[in-house]
Amino acid sequence: MTGTPAPFTADDYQARMERAARAAADAGLAGVLVAPGPDLVWLTGYAPPAATERLTLLVLPAGQDPVLVVPTLEAPDAEKAAGAPALTLRDWTDGKDPYATTAPLLDATGRFGVGDNAWALHLLGLQKALPGTSYVSLTEGLPMLRAVKDAAELERLAAAGEAADATYEEILKVSFAGRRESEVAGDLADLLRRFGHSQVDFTVVGSGPNGANPHHEAGERVIENGDMVVLDFGGLKHGYGSDTSRTVHVGEPSAEERRVHDVVREAQEAAFRAVRPGIACQDVDRVARAHITEAGYGDRFIHRTGHGIGVTTHEPPYMIEGEEQPLVPGMCFSVEPGIYLPGRFGVRIEDIVTVTEDGGRRLNNTSREMAVVH
């Protein structure tokens, strides 16, 4: 396993905030407003101690210095954030109007990008204080804000992928037959933590017919000999995401099960080989979907081919028809085609891929051949 990476510095966070403000200006926005959540952590290194109804808001006006509006009682924690030296703190006390504190920081007639985690309570409060303003979600207005990772972020994503790979190698050693899906899911969670994950986001264990549900919650079904089992698991390590899927079989698979698995594996390989700068996100989806459709299973591939990953396990860009955003070096996303046969079984194979200067690089490197477990 790789060692702990160096922490991000105030300069790193300043560069991110400047980049966000420039992107907002380029998009015709007056600035960016970011509530507690992944965007705030990425931009400032600050995560408030708990979810709160009190307004906390990072204001990044185009062409001006950033300001973080915080409740007075949380200001000491905000001052300790790694990105705090790169911004101005402005606090407000209970009993005062937080929107009166925030309004002077905003263009009274501007259109702002708002973080997806903003409470409706706060957005409506700003609209009441500044009726001439308008707002668009960051996913819509600046979808690529966090999409292109720098070298330090790629290092963390690679470490998370390595840990997920180690988890898969270890789960192949446990017993599947005669155990509940929830027990194997618990094993996956324990292994992710053993290999350095601070947060486990999901541990899908879809056995037999449950595998035909892509987001099946591991339940009390007892895994049987002859089952295909979809494993999809991930979380955060060093603040960055992992997400990988492999499909295993309990005992020897049938010829049909092998064929379906081969179709998915070949589609995943073809989609990965299509990754290169300049092609549209939808082209990755098209390649995977064309292969599965040609094999006769097009109507059983029922989700997008991939999603971005970074400080969250699902974020833009998305590998789906209609997404014309070109791939750029440093983008990271999943490539995860699947086939789902209702009432019978499912197959999914997933790697995280990063775009390089001349192609793509996998951050998951375990075997994509079907593993036989006991």
Side-chain angles (χ1 to χ4, degrees):
M1 288 292 153
T2 54
T4 302
F8 294 119
T9 66
D11 288 343
D12 294 323
Y13 291 113
Q14 181 176 356
R16 291 176 185 177
M17 287 187 279
E18 290 174 349
R19 181 168 126 197
R22 285 195 305 272
D26 292 343
L29 299 173
V32 175
L33 308 177
V34 183
D39 287 323
L40 186 63
V41 173
W42 183 77
L43 286 163
T44 69
Y46 177 52
T52 175
E53 75 284 357
R54 294 182 174 94
L55 177 70
T56 296
L57 194 70
L58 175 67
V59 180
L60 296 177
Q64 300 180 44
D65 293 335
V67 178
L68 181 61
V69 178
V70 296
T72 300
L73 77 168
E74 293 175 6
D77 290 322
E79 289 170 351
K80 297 174 185 176
L87 50 77
T88 298
L89 286 179
R90 186 161 298 182
D91 65 323
W92 62 274
T93 57
D94 282 357
K96 303 294 185 181
D97 182 357
Y99 311 111
T101 300
T102 309
L105 306 173
L106 275 57
D107 179 342
T109 60
R111 181 170 175 80
F112 293 87
V114 180
D116 298 352
N117 293 79
W119 284 30
L121 171 72
H122 300 319
L123 187 56
L124 292 169
L126 285 175
Q127 286 181 315
K128 184 177 180 180
L130 295 169
T133 54
S134 59
Y135 305 90
V136 61
S137 73
L138 285 185
T139 289
E140 180 182 348
L142 295 176
M144 297 298 112
L145 180 61
R146 303 195 321 248
V148 178
K149 275 65 179 180
D150 61 24
E153 292 181 291
L154 289 173
E155 177 187 2
R156 286 162 169 78
L157 283 161
E162 182 183 5
D165 283 357
T167 294
Y168 176 66
E169 296 288 0
E170 288 298 312
I171 204 69
L172 294 180
K173 301 174 185 178
V174 311
S175 295
F176 280 71
R179 301 178 69 212
R180 292 180 175 85
E181 292 173 339
S182 58
E183 294 177 282
V184 177
D187 290 341
L188 285 169
D190 291 343
L191 288 165
L192 285 168
R193 293 189 183 97
R194 184 204 298 179
F195 293 117
H197 279 62
S198 59
Q199 176 177 313
V200 176
D201 286 345
F202 48 88
T203 52
V204 173
V205 180
S207 64
N210 289 340
N213 175 1
H215 282 171
H216 171 68
E217 292 280 347
E220 296 309 297
R221 183 182 186 276
V222 175
I223 301 169
E224 301 173 355
N225 190 56
D227 278 348
M228 194 86 89
V229 185
V230 178
L231 305 173
D232 182 358
F233 50 93
L236 298 183
K237 179 175 181 176
H238 305 317
Y240 281 74
S242 68
D243 186 1
T244 190
S245 301
R246 294 291 185 265
T247 302
V248 302
H249 198 277
V250 186
E252 287 300 316
S254 68
E256 181 192 19
E257 288 169 331
R258 284 196 180 279
R259 177 174 183 270
V260 172
H261 191 279
D262 284 346
V263 170
V264 174
R265 180 178 52 78
E266 291 161 1
Q268 205 264 357
E269 176 70 18
F272 165 69
R273 292 191 177 280
V275 171
R276 62 183 182 277
I279 73 162
C281 292
Q282 66 181 2
D283 292 335
V284 179
D285 181 82
R286 287 173 174 176
V287 168
R289 205 164 297 279
H291 186 84
I292 289 175
T293 298
E294 184 178 349
Y297 296 98
D299 61 339
R300 304 315 328 155
F301 180 11
I302 56 177
H303 56 71
R304 63 197 175 203
T305 293
H307 57 81
I309 190 168
V311 293
T312 56
T313 48
H314 284 208
E315 62 186 46
Y318 299 103
M319 307 301 116
I320 187 62
E321 183 67 30
E323 179 52 80
E324 298 178 351
Q325 168 67 41
L327 299 187
V328 176
M331 280 184 178
C332 293
F333 49 85
S334 65
V335 176
E336 51 176 306
I339 293 174
Y340 307 94
L341 305 180
R344 302 184 63 207
F345 64 87
V347 176
R348 182 164 65 259
I349 300 173
E350 173 185 16
D351 295 324
I352 299 302
V353 172
T354 183
V355 183
T356 64
E357 293 296 332
D358 56 2
R361 174 169 68 95
R362 283 188 167 105
L363 301 186
N364 295 108
N365 295 290
T366 54
S367 172
R368 283 161 287 278
E369 300 290 337
M370 188 194 303
V372 174
V373 296
H374 62 276

